[in-house]
Amino acid sequence: MTRDTLSITDNRTGQNYELPVTDGTIRAIDLRQIKVSEEDFGLMAYDPAYLNTASCRSTITYIDGDRSILRYRGYPIEQLAEHATFLEVAYLLAEGELPTREQLSRWEEDVRYHTYVHTNVIKFLTGFRYDAHPMGMLLGTVGALSTFYPDAKNISDAENRYTQRVRLMAKLPTIAAFAFRHSRGLPYEFPRNDLDYIANFVNMTFSIGGKHEPNKVLQRALEILLILHADHEQNCSTSAVRSVGSSHVDPFSAVSAGIAALYGPLHGGANEAVLKMLDQIQSKADVPKFVEQVKQGKGRLMGFGHRVYKSYDPRAKLIKRTADEVFEQTGLNPKLEIALELERIALEDDYFISRRLYPNVDFYSGLIYQAMGYPSDYFTVLFAIGRLPGWLAQWAEMLGDKEQKIARPRQVYVGEDERQFVPIDQR
Ligand code: SDX
């Protein structure tokens, strides 16, 4: 009968150890018993960037990187993108079940009720330079919201956590839309409670003189994109929210840490970097030259590759399909031709095949956002609106996990041994 254990022989001492294997993992703390002497601290696992470290047990999102599978609470992303609304998915991620009609309408009503921000937030936003990056504005403003809601510190109270979740879901689109208006020098368009979540966000962003002709196809396409971005297990920004949240700070501060991580070009900032890359390539004819430069290590093919997906990102497939519907409304984005050629060449080239590099969620999303009228520096803001429900669900799961405590990794010290202070005139 096979035993779910790992037998380890420490050749330094000849000692044998038996470690339990659970869910395909050993507990790193079980390594500490492996010592060369009584005063030895014991073995640790060394894993820079946590390439092979599970930080938690989660029931929220399941990814199979080899089989291009992504499920939220067990539901395939393809079905949620086709049938669900974004607020329905946000409810599912947080509560673990799809809402009944009554639960959904209460959730929608609660969110609709909280879409306004304190007028001081507007003063705060107008303080940014005219050309401030909207992600920097979002990062600063969401963090500042913690000063408007000091009750949010009471994270141990479930009702209070729900209130803060509603406030963040309701106010992030308002702040995002105001950041857009700020960059255009336009007066802010305030939330309208007669519109649904997506229509309200689009109206606050694009309406002129209170008028914006809604395009239902584009609004549904935006909603699908938000659904596809809603959660993705322990990605960089979610890990940031969990880690910062583990200090028991309020959720506004923890989410602002997630926004900061998402801002980076290797993570959520990649959709903006893809458009910059396509602008740099300029034409389809220039694609082979660009690919050669990437293969020589001169830069990366932005929107390609993934830590977990070593196959086609299932979201990229759905986004590509959504792109066709959007371009029918807006006219073809000329950069799509370059992107399709890039994908065609990369998927045939051994450099990318051998490294299992495929288009990820960011490769095509920017083309759609641009066709919808968003500037490239705003794409990651849209990613943040999509990812917010995932951050909030993961934050709550971390708080409720009895095994979790404040995140505080260890290190391997490779610096100087003890040495004496040297007075400045002897240095
Ligand atoms: C997101 O984690 C998530 O779930 C993230 C996300 C989410 O929903 O939260 O899916 C969203 O962030 C998608 C990723 C967006 N980023 C990009 O598109 C930026 C370009 N991609 C890469 O920088 C990279 O692929 C990462 C950051 C996404 C993944 O990096 P890894 O897993 O650490 O891989 P690596 O850097 O160790 O690369 C392995 C090899 C290296 O080559 P060698 O050193 O072995 O020769 O692959 C090469 C890399 O140079 N490589 C690339 C490449 N990505 C990796 N070469 C060219 N172009 C690329 N895009």
Side-chain angles (χ1 to χ4, degrees):
M1 207 271 266
T2 54
R3 301 191 311 274
D4 286 339
T5 62
L6 193 66
S7 300
I8 294 177
T9 299
D10 183 349
N11 295 317
R12 300 171 298 176
T13 61
Q15 288 281 331
N16 295 312
Y17 304 86
E18 193 112 340
L19 303 189
V21 176
T22 316
D23 298 325
T25 68
I26 58 165
R27 283 180 172 274
I29 200 70
D30 286 349
L31 295 171
R32 285 279 293 284
Q33 62 186 298
I34 301 175
K35 299 174 182 240
V36 291
S37 63
E38 263 320 293
E39 55 280 1
D40 183 0
F41 181 78
L43 280 189
M44 290 194 292
Y46 175 54
D47 189 10
Y50 312 116
L51 279 164
N52 192 43
T53 294
S55 62
C56 63
R57 298 164 69 86
S58 179
T59 61
I60 299 173
T61 289
Y62 173 72
I63 300 175
D64 180 323
D66 291 327
R67 295 192 296 154
S68 294
I69 291 173
L70 171 57
R71 299 181 196 134
Y72 297 159
R73 298 290 191 180
Y75 293 97
I77 191 67
E78 294 79 4
Q79 294 179 28
L80 293 170
E82 185 167 352
H83 302 297
T85 68
F86 178 59
L87 282 184
E88 207 171 359
V89 168
Y91 183 101
L92 169 67
L93 288 170
E95 305 292 350
E97 296 297 337
L98 287 167
T100 62
R101 196 177 296 280
E102 188 198 348
Q103 288 167 332
L104 181 58
S105 52
R106 177 184 165 220
W107 165 237
E108 287 168 342
E109 210 35 52
D110 286 347
V111 170
R112 202 192 308 260
Y113 186 75
H114 286 271
T115 48
Y116 266 70
V117 290
H118 191 293
T119 44
N120 284 13
V121 170
I122 295 171
K123 287 194 199 117
F124 190 81
L125 280 163
T126 48
F128 285 99
R129 269 176 57 107
Y130 71 94
D131 59 353
H133 194 292
M135 277 300 276
M137 294 178 73
L138 208 67
L139 168 56
T141 308
V142 169
L145 280 186
S146 65
T147 66
F148 289 84
Y149 306 108
D151 57 317
K153 290 183 172 59
N154 182 13
I155 56 164
S156 57
D157 176 80
E159 218 23 59
N160 189 292
R161 289 199 300 272
Y162 177 77
T163 303
Q164 311 318 330
R165 172 162 33 114
V166 167
R167 281 172 169 159
L168 271 158
M169 284 297 297
K171 298 176 195 305
L172 190 66
T174 305
I175 293 167
F178 286 1
F180 181 90
R181 306 291 283 198
H182 176 87
S183 68
R184 289 284 185 285
L186 288 171
Y188 295 166
E189 194 65 38
F190 285 82
R192 277 179 42 189
N193 288 348
D194 60 317
L195 299 174
D196 68 29
Y197 192 82
I198 303 294
N200 181 43
F201 170 60
V202 171
N203 188 63
M204 288 190 288
T205 309
F206 291 118
S207 89
I208 296 294
K211 283 195 181 43
H212 174 69
E213 205 40 54
N215 179 317
K216 290 296 177 201
V217 173
L218 293 187
Q219 285 183 11
R220 179 57 190 162
L222 177 60
E223 182 161 45
I224 288 170
L225 282 161
L226 297 181
I227 289 170
L228 294 176
H229 284 81
D231 192 54
H232 215 238
E233 59 155 76
Q234 305 312 311
N235 58 85
C236 179
S237 54
T238 298
S239 303
V241 171
R242 276 180 170 257
S243 179
V244 168
S246 73
S247 72
H248 286 187
V249 75
D250 68 272
F252 297 98
S253 305
V255 165
S256 67
I259 294 171
L262 193 71
Y263 195 175
L266 292 187
H267 189 12
N271 51 23
E272 177 180 358
V274 168
L275 261 292
K276 286 201 176 88
M277 175 182 74
L278 296 177
D279 284 338
Q280 179 199 343
I281 295 172
Q282 287 181 355
S283 78
K284 186 176 166 183
D286 296 332
V287 168
K289 190 172 70 190
F290 176 81
V291 169
E292 274 320 302
Q293 286 167 350
V294 168
K295 287 164 64 178
Q296 288 157 21
K298 294 178 194 142
R300 290 197 160 191
L301 182 44
M302 300 312 275
F304 255 69
H306 201 277
R307 176 67 56 77
V308 175
Y309 290 123
K310 298 308 173 189
S311 59
Y312 214 101
D313 184 330
R315 300 167 297 176
K317 269 189 207 139
L318 292 166
I319 288 173
K320 210 169 154 187
R321 194 192 310 158
T322 307
D324 298 339
E325 289 151 25
V326 168
F327 297 142
E328 260 172 46
Q329 299 290 318
T330 63
L332 192 59
N333 187 325
K335 297 191 184 78
L336 177 67
E337 193 187 30
I338 301 173
L340 289 168
E341 181 65 0
L342 256 182
E343 177 186 354
R344 187 189 67 77
I345 291 179
L347 294 185
E348 289 170 357
D349 188 300
D350 187 56
Y351 176 93
F352 300 93
I353 295 168
S354 64
R355 291 169 175 79
R356 302 179 74 186
L357 300 176
Y358 292 85
N360 60 46
V361 68
D362 292 305
F363 190 62
Y364 287 105
S365 54
L367 290 170
I368 298 178
Y369 293 143
Q370 189 174 56
M372 288 176 171
Y374 296 104
S376 58
D377 66 358
Y378 199 75
F379 296 168
T380 312
V381 169
L382 298 168
F383 194 147
I385 295 172
R387 184 53 50 88
L388 178 62
W391 287 334
L392 290 168
Q394 298 272 355
W395 168 73
E397 184 176 69
M398 176 273 300
L399 289 176
D401 183 341
K402 299 271 174 294
E403 285 197 302
Q404 296 293 339
K405 42 178 71 180
I406 187 166
R408 199 261 182 240
R410 291 197 175 263
Q411 64 166 21
V412 175
Y413 179 70
V414 292
E416 297 285 344
D417 204 344
E418 182 179 358
R419 51 183 175 163
Q420 303 310 307
F421 183 79
V422 179
I424 192 159
D425 53 15
Q426 292 173 28
R427 291 174 198 164

Coordinates of all heavy atoms in Angstrom, one line a residue, residues 49 51 63 70 72 228-238 262 264-271 273-274 277 294-295 297 299-310 313 315 351-352 354-363 383 387 391, ligand 1:
A49 N 10.7 34.3 -5.9 CA 9.5 34.6 -6.7 C 8.4 33.5 -6.5 O 7.5 33.5 -7.3 CB 9.8 34.8 -8.2
L51 N 8.2 30.4 -7.2 CA 8.0 29.6 -8.5 C 7.3 28.3 -8.2 O 6.5 27.8 -8.9 CB 9.3 29.4 -9.2 CG 9.8 30.5 -10.1 CD1 11.3 30.3 -10.4 CD2 9.0 30.7 -11.3
I63 N -7.0 26.8 -11.9 CA -6.4 26.9 -13.2 C -5.7 25.6 -13.5 O -5.0 25.1 -12.7 CB -5.4 28.1 -13.2 CG1 -6.0 29.4 -12.9 CG2 -4.7 28.2 -14.6 CD1 -5.0 30.6 -12.8
L70 N -9.8 27.4 -16.8 CA -10.0 28.4 -15.8 C -11.4 28.3 -15.3 O -12.4 28.4 -16.1 CB -9.7 29.8 -16.4 CG -10.0 31.0 -15.5 CD1 -9.3 31.0 -14.1 CD2 -9.7 32.3 -16.2
Y72 N -14.1 29.7 -12.0 CA -14.4 30.4 -10.8 C -15.4 29.6 -9.9 O -16.5 29.3 -10.4 CB -15.0 31.8 -11.1 CG -14.2 32.8 -11.9 CD1 -14.9 33.8 -12.6 CD2 -12.8 32.7 -12.0 CE1 -14.2 34.7 -13.3 CE2 -12.1 33.7 -12.7 CZ -12.8 34.7 -13.3 OH -12.1 35.6 -14.1
L228 N -13.7 38.2 -17.4 CA -12.5 37.4 -17.7 C -11.3 37.8 -16.8 O -10.4 37.0 -16.6 CB -12.1 37.5 -19.2 CG -13.1 36.9 -20.2 CD1 -12.6 37.2 -21.6 CD2 -13.3 35.4 -19.9
H229 N -11.3 39.0 -16.3 CA -10.2 39.5 -15.4 C -10.5 39.3 -13.9 O -9.7 39.7 -13.1 CB -9.9 41.0 -15.7 CG -9.2 41.2 -17.0 ND1 -9.9 41.2 -18.2 CD2 -7.9 41.4 -17.3 CE1 -9.0 41.5 -19.2 NE2 -7.8 41.6 -18.7
A230 N -11.7 38.8 -13.6 CA -12.2 38.9 -12.2 C -11.3 38.2 -11.2 O -11.1 38.7 -10.1 CB -13.6 38.4 -12.1
D231 N -10.7 37.1 -11.5 CA -9.8 36.4 -10.5 C -8.9 35.5 -11.2 O -9.1 35.1 -12.4 CB -10.6 35.6 -9.5 CG -9.6 35.3 -8.3 OD1 -9.0 36.2 -7.7 OD2 -9.5 34.1 -8.0
H232 N -7.7 35.3 -10.6 CA -6.8 34.4 -11.3 C -5.8 33.7 -10.3 O -4.6 33.8 -10.4 CB -6.0 35.1 -12.4 CG -5.7 34.2 -13.5 ND1 -4.4 34.0 -14.0 CD2 -6.5 33.5 -14.3 CE1 -4.5 33.2 -15.0 NE2 -5.7 32.9 -15.3
E233 N -6.3 33.1 -9.3 CA -5.6 32.5 -8.1 C -4.6 33.4 -7.6 O -4.8 34.6 -7.3 CB -5.2 31.1 -8.5 CG -4.2 30.9 -9.6 CD -3.4 29.7 -9.5 OE1 -3.9 28.6 -9.8 OE2 -2.2 29.9 -9.2
Q234 N -3.4 32.9 -7.3 CA -2.4 33.7 -6.5 C -1.4 34.5 -7.4 O -0.2 34.4 -7.3 CB -1.6 32.8 -5.6 CG -2.5 32.0 -4.7 CD -3.6 32.8 -4.0 OE1 -3.3 33.9 -3.4 NE2 -4.9 32.4 -4.1
N235 N -2.0 35.3 -8.4 CA -1.1 36.2 -9.2 C -0.5 37.2 -8.4 O -0.8 37.4 -7.2 CB -2.0 36.8 -10.3 CG -3.1 37.6 -9.7 OD1 -3.0 38.7 -9.4 ND2 -4.3 36.9 -9.5
C236 N 0.4 38.0 -9.0 CA 1.2 39.0 -8.2 C 0.4 39.9 -7.4 O 0.6 40.2 -6.2 CB 2.1 39.7 -9.2 SG 3.1 41.0 -8.5
S237 N -0.7 40.5 -8.0 CA -1.5 41.5 -7.3 C -2.3 40.9 -6.2 O -2.5 41.5 -5.2 CB -2.3 42.3 -8.3 OG -3.1 41.5 -9.1
T238 N -2.9 39.7 -6.5 CA -3.7 39.1 -5.5 C -2.8 38.7 -4.3 O -3.2 38.8 -3.1 CB -4.4 37.8 -6.1 OG1 -5.3 38.3 -7.1 CG2 -5.2 37.1 -5.0
L262 N -0.5 45.5 -9.8 CA -1.1 45.3 -11.1 C -0.5 46.3 -12.1 O -0.4 46.1 -13.3 CB -2.6 45.5 -11.0 CG -3.4 45.0 -12.3 CD1 -3.4 43.5 -12.4 CD2 -4.8 45.6 -12.2
G264 N 2.4 47.2 -12.7 CA 3.7 46.8 -13.3 C 3.5 46.2 -14.7 O 2.6 45.5 -15.0
P265 N 4.5 46.5 -15.7 CA 4.4 46.0 -17.0 C 4.4 44.5 -17.2 O 4.0 44.0 -18.2 CB 5.5 46.7 -17.8 CG 6.4 47.2 -16.7 CD 5.6 47.4 -15.5
L266 N 5.0 43.8 -16.2 CA 5.0 42.4 -16.3 C 3.7 41.7 -15.9 O 3.5 40.6 -16.1 CB 6.2 41.8 -15.4 CG 7.6 42.1 -15.9 CD1 8.6 41.4 -15.0 CD2 7.8 41.8 -17.4
H267 N 2.8 42.6 -15.3 CA 1.5 42.0 -14.8 C 0.4 42.8 -15.5 O 0.3 42.7 -16.7 CB 1.5 42.3 -13.3 CG 0.4 41.6 -12.6 ND1 -0.5 40.7 -13.1 CD2 -0.1 41.8 -11.3 CE1 -1.4 40.3 -12.2 NE2 -1.2 40.9 -11.1
G268 N -0.4 43.5 -14.9 CA -1.5 44.1 -15.5 C -1.1 45.2 -16.5 O -1.9 45.5 -17.4
G269 N 0.0 45.8 -16.3 CA 0.5 46.9 -17.2 C 0.9 46.3 -18.6 O 1.2 47.1 -19.5
A270 N 0.8 45.0 -18.7 CA 1.2 44.4 -20.0 C 0.3 44.8 -21.1 O 0.7 44.9 -22.3 CB 1.3 42.9 -19.9
N271 N -1.0 45.0 -20.8 CA -2.0 45.3 -21.9 C -1.6 46.7 -22.5 O -1.7 46.9 -23.7 CB -3.4 45.3 -21.5 CG -3.7 46.1 -20.2 OD1 -3.0 47.0 -19.9 ND2 -4.8 45.7 -19.5
A273 N 1.5 47.8 -22.4 CA 2.8 47.6 -23.1 C 2.6 46.9 -24.4 O 3.4 47.2 -25.4 CB 3.7 46.7 -22.2
V274 N 1.6 46.1 -24.6 CA 1.3 45.5 -25.9 C 1.0 46.5 -27.0 O 1.6 46.5 -28.1 CB 0.1 44.5 -25.8 CG1 -0.4 44.0 -27.2 CG2 0.5 43.3 -25.0
M277 N 4.1 48.2 -28.0 CA 4.9 47.3 -28.8 C 4.3 47.3 -30.2 O 5.1 47.4 -31.2 CB 4.8 45.9 -28.2 CG 5.5 44.8 -29.0 SD 5.3 43.2 -28.2 CE 3.5 42.9 -28.6
V294 N 13.4 40.0 -30.3 CA 13.0 39.3 -29.1 C 13.8 38.1 -28.8 O 14.3 37.8 -27.7 CB 11.5 39.0 -29.1 CG1 11.1 38.1 -27.9 CG2 10.7 40.3 -29.1
K295 N 14.0 37.3 -29.9 CA 14.7 36.0 -29.7 C 16.2 36.2 -29.4 O 16.8 35.4 -28.8 CB 14.6 35.2 -31.1 CG 13.2 34.6 -31.3 CD 13.0 34.2 -32.7 CE 13.9 33.1 -33.1 NZ 13.6 32.6 -34.5
G297 N 16.9 38.3 -27.3 CA 16.9 38.8 -25.9 C 16.8 40.3 -25.8 O 16.9 40.9 -24.7
G299 N 14.4 42.6 -25.4 CA 13.0 42.9 -25.1 C 12.1 41.7 -25.1 O 12.6 40.6 -25.5
R300 N 10.9 41.8 -24.7 CA 10.0 40.7 -24.6 C 8.8 40.9 -25.5 O 8.4 42.0 -25.9 CB 9.5 40.5 -23.2 CG 10.6 40.0 -22.3 CD 10.1 39.4 -21.0 NE 11.1 38.5 -20.4 CZ 10.9 37.7 -19.4 NH1 9.7 37.6 -18.9 NH2 11.9 36.9 -18.9
L301 N 8.1 39.8 -25.9 CA 6.9 39.9 -26.7 C 5.8 40.1 -25.7 O 5.3 39.1 -25.0 CB 6.7 38.6 -27.5 CG 5.5 38.4 -28.4 CD1 5.3 39.6 -29.2 CD2 5.7 37.2 -29.3
M302 N 5.4 41.3 -25.4 CA 4.4 41.6 -24.4 C 3.1 41.0 -24.7 O 2.7 41.0 -25.9 CB 4.3 43.2 -24.2 CG 5.6 43.8 -23.8 SD 6.5 43.0 -22.5 CE 5.7 43.8 -21.1
G303 N 2.4 40.5 -23.7 CA 1.1 39.9 -23.9 C 1.3 38.4 -24.2 O 0.4 37.7 -24.5
F304 N 2.6 38.0 -24.2 CA 2.9 36.5 -24.4 C 3.5 35.9 -23.1 O 4.2 36.6 -22.4 CB 3.9 36.4 -25.6 CG 3.2 35.9 -26.8 CD1 2.4 36.7 -27.5 CD2 3.5 34.6 -27.3 CE1 1.8 36.2 -28.7 CE2 2.9 34.1 -28.5 CZ 2.1 35.0 -29.2
G305 N 3.3 34.7 -22.9 CA 3.9 34.0 -21.8 C 3.1 34.1 -20.5 O 2.3 35.0 -20.4
H306 N 3.3 33.1 -19.6 CA 2.5 33.1 -18.4 C 3.2 32.2 -17.4 O 3.7 31.1 -17.8 CB 1.1 32.7 -18.6 CG 0.2 33.1 -17.5 ND1 0.0 32.4 -16.4 CD2 -0.6 34.2 -17.4 CE1 -0.8 33.0 -15.6 NE2 -1.2 34.1 -16.2
R307 N 3.2 32.5 -16.1 CA 3.8 31.7 -15.1 C 3.0 30.3 -15.0 O 3.6 29.3 -14.8 CB 3.8 32.4 -13.7 CG 4.3 31.6 -12.6 CD 5.7 31.3 -12.6 NE 6.6 32.5 -12.8 CZ 6.9 33.3 -11.8 NH1 6.4 33.1 -10.6 NH2 7.7 34.3 -12.0
V308 N 1.7 30.4 -15.2 CA 0.9 29.1 -15.0 C 0.5 28.5 -16.3 O 0.7 27.3 -16.6 CB -0.3 29.4 -14.1 CG1 -1.2 28.2 -14.0 CG2 0.1 29.9 -12.8
Y309 N 0.0 29.3 -17.3 CA -0.5 28.8 -18.5 C 0.8 28.4 -19.4 O 1.5 29.3 -19.8 CB -1.3 29.8 -19.3 CG -2.7 30.0 -18.7 CD1 -3.1 31.3 -18.3 CD2 -3.6 28.9 -18.4 CE1 -4.3 31.5 -17.7 CE2 -4.8 29.1 -17.9 CZ -5.2 30.4 -17.5 OH -6.4 30.6 -16.9
K310 N 1.0 27.2 -19.6 CA 2.0 26.8 -20.6 C 1.3 26.3 -21.8 O 1.7 25.4 -22.5 CB 2.9 25.7 -20.0 CG 3.6 26.2 -18.7 CD 4.4 27.5 -19.0 CE 5.0 28.1 -17.7 NZ 5.5 29.5 -17.9
D313 N -3.8 30.8 -23.1 CA -4.6 31.4 -22.0 C -6.1 31.3 -22.5 O -6.5 32.0 -23.5 CB -4.2 32.8 -21.7 CG -4.9 33.5 -20.6 OD1 -6.0 33.1 -20.3 OD2 -4.2 34.3 -19.9
R315 N -8.6 32.8 -21.6 CA -9.2 34.1 -21.6 C -8.8 34.8 -22.9 O -9.6 35.5 -23.5 CB -8.7 35.0 -20.4 CG -9.0 34.4 -19.1 CD -8.3 35.0 -18.0 NE -6.8 34.8 -18.1 CZ -5.9 35.4 -17.3 NH1 -6.3 36.2 -16.3 NH2 -4.7 35.2 -17.5
Y351 N 11.7 29.2 -30.6 CA 12.0 30.0 -29.4 C 10.8 30.1 -28.5 O 10.9 29.9 -27.3 CB 12.5 31.4 -29.8 CG 12.7 32.3 -28.6 CD1 14.0 32.4 -28.1 CD2 11.7 33.0 -28.0 CE1 14.3 33.2 -26.9 CE2 11.9 33.8 -26.8 CZ 13.2 33.9 -26.3 OH 13.5 34.6 -25.2
F352 N 9.6 30.3 -29.0 CA 8.4 30.5 -28.2 C 7.8 29.1 -27.9 O 7.4 28.9 -26.7 CB 7.4 31.4 -29.0 CG 8.0 32.8 -29.3 CD1 8.6 33.0 -30.5 CD2 7.9 33.8 -28.3 CE1 9.1 34.3 -30.8 CE2 8.5 35.0 -28.6 CZ 9.1 35.3 -29.8
S354 N 9.4 26.3 -27.5 CA 10.3 25.6 -26.5 C 10.1 26.2 -25.1 O 10.2 25.5 -24.1 CB 11.7 25.7 -26.9 OG 12.1 27.0 -26.9
R355 N 9.7 27.5 -25.1 CA 9.5 28.1 -23.8 C 8.0 28.1 -23.4 O 7.6 28.7 -22.4 CB 10.1 29.5 -23.8 CG 11.6 29.6 -23.8 CD 12.1 31.0 -24.1 NE 13.6 31.0 -24.0 CZ 14.4 30.6 -25.0 NH1 13.8 30.1 -26.1 NH2 15.7 30.6 -24.9
R356 N 7.2 27.5 -24.2 CA 5.8 27.3 -24.0 C 5.1 28.7 -23.8 O 4.4 29.0 -22.8 CB 5.5 26.4 -22.9 CG 6.1 25.0 -23.1 CD 5.8 24.0 -22.0 NE 4.4 23.6 -22.0 CZ 3.9 22.8 -21.1 NH1 4.7 22.4 -20.1 NH2 2.7 22.4 -21.1
L357 N 5.4 29.6 -24.8 CA 4.9 31.0 -24.7 C 3.7 31.2 -25.6 O 3.9 30.9 -26.8 CB 6.0 32.0 -25.0 CG 7.3 31.9 -24.2 CD1 8.4 32.9 -24.7 CD2 7.0 32.3 -22.7
Y358 N 2.6 31.5 -25.0 CA 1.4 31.7 -25.8 C 0.8 33.0 -25.5 O 1.1 33.6 -24.5 CB 0.4 30.6 -25.5 CG 0.8 29.2 -25.9 CD1 1.6 28.4 -25.1 CD2 0.4 28.7 -27.1 CE1 2.0 27.1 -25.5 CE2 0.7 27.4 -27.5 CZ 1.6 26.6 -26.7 OH 2.0 25.4 -27.1
P359 N -0.2 33.5 -26.3 CA -0.8 34.8 -25.9 C -1.5 34.7 -24.6 O -2.1 33.6 -24.3 CB -1.8 35.0 -27.1 CG -1.3 34.2 -28.2 CD -0.6 33.0 -27.6
N360 N -1.4 35.7 -23.8 CA -2.1 35.7 -22.5 C -3.2 36.7 -22.5 O -3.5 37.3 -23.6 CB -1.1 36.0 -21.3 CG -0.4 37.3 -21.5 OD1 -1.1 38.3 -21.8 ND2 0.9 37.3 -21.3
V361 N -3.8 36.9 -21.4 CA -5.0 37.7 -21.3 C -4.8 39.1 -21.9 O -5.7 39.8 -22.4 CB -5.5 37.8 -19.9 CG1 -4.6 38.6 -19.0 CG2 -6.9 38.4 -19.8
D362 N -3.5 39.6 -21.8 CA -3.2 41.0 -22.2 C -3.0 41.2 -23.7 O -2.9 42.3 -24.1 CB -2.0 41.5 -21.4 CG -2.4 41.6 -19.9 OD1 -3.4 42.3 -19.6 OD2 -1.7 40.9 -19.1
F363 N -2.8 40.1 -24.4 CA -2.4 40.3 -25.8 C -3.4 41.0 -26.7 O -3.1 41.9 -27.4 CB -2.0 38.9 -26.4 CG -1.2 39.1 -27.7 CD1 0.0 39.7 -27.8 CD2 -1.8 38.6 -28.9 CE1 0.7 39.8 -29.0 CE2 -1.2 38.7 -30.1 CZ 0.1 39.3 -30.2
F383 N -8.4 46.7 -16.1 CA -8.0 45.4 -15.5 C -8.3 45.4 -14.0 O -8.8 44.5 -13.5 CB -6.5 45.2 -15.8 CG -6.0 43.8 -15.5 CD1 -5.0 43.3 -16.3 CD2 -6.6 43.0 -14.5 CE1 -4.5 42.0 -16.1 CE2 -6.1 41.7 -14.3 CZ -5.1 41.2 -15.1
R387 N -10.5 43.0 -11.8 CA -9.8 42.1 -10.8 C -10.3 42.4 -9.4 O -10.1 41.6 -8.5 CB -8.3 42.3 -10.9 CG -7.5 41.5 -10.0 CD -7.7 40.0 -10.1 NE -7.8 39.4 -11.3 CZ -6.7 38.9 -12.0 NH1 -5.5 39.0 -11.5 NH2 -6.8 38.3 -13.2
W391 N -9.7 40.2 -5.8 CA -8.9 40.6 -4.7 C -9.7 40.6 -3.4 O -9.3 40.1 -2.4 CB -8.5 42.1 -4.9 CG -7.4 42.3 -5.9 CD1 -6.5 41.4 -6.3 CD2 -7.2 43.5 -6.7 NE1 -5.6 42.0 -7.3 CE2 -6.1 43.2 -7.5 CE3 -7.8 44.7 -6.7 CZ2 -5.5 44.2 -8.4 CZ3 -7.3 45.7 -7.6 CH2 -6.2 45.4 -8.4
Ligands
SDX1 C1 -0.8 38.8 -16.3 O1 0.0 35.4 -12.7 C2 -1.1 35.7 -13.4 O2 -2.1 35.0 -13.3 C3 -1.1 37.0 -14.1 C4 -2.4 37.3 -15.0 C5 -3.6 37.5 -14.1 O3 -4.7 37.3 -14.6 O4 -3.4 38.0 -12.9 O5 -2.6 36.3 -15.9 C6 -2.2 38.6 -15.7 O6 0.0 39.4 -15.6 C7 -0.5 38.1 -17.6 C8 1.0 38.3 -17.9 C9 1.2 39.7 -18.6 N1 2.6 40.0 -18.8 C10 3.2 40.0 -20.0 O7 2.6 39.7 -21.0 C11 4.6 40.5 -20.0 C12 5.4 39.5 -20.9 N2 5.4 38.2 -20.3 C13 6.6 37.9 -19.5 O8 7.3 38.9 -18.9 C14 6.5 36.6 -18.8 O9 6.0 35.6 -19.6 C15 5.7 36.5 -17.5 C16 6.1 37.6 -16.5 C17 4.2 36.7 -17.8 C18 5.9 35.2 -16.8 O10 7.2 35.1 -16.5 P1 7.9 33.8 -15.8 O11 6.9 32.7 -15.6 O12 8.7 34.3 -14.7 O13 8.8 33.3 -17.0 P2 10.3 33.8 -17.1 O14 10.4 35.3 -17.1 O15 11.1 32.9 -16.2 O16 10.6 33.3 -18.7 C19 11.0 32.0 -19.0 C20 11.7 32.1 -20.3 C21 12.8 33.1 -20.3 O17 13.7 32.7 -21.3 P3 15.2 32.1 -20.9 O18 15.7 33.0 -19.7 O19 14.8 30.7 -20.3 O20 16.0 32.1 -22.1 O21 10.8 32.6 -21.3 C22 11.2 33.8 -21.8 C23 12.2 34.4 -20.7 O22 13.1 35.3 -21.3 N3 10.0 34.7 -21.9 C24 9.8 35.5 -22.9 C25 8.5 36.0 -22.6 N4 8.1 35.6 -21.4 C26 9.0 34.7 -21.0 N5 10.5 35.8 -24.0 C27 9.9 36.7 -24.8 N6 8.7 37.2 -24.7 C28 8.0 37.0 -23.5 N7 6.8 37.5 -23.4

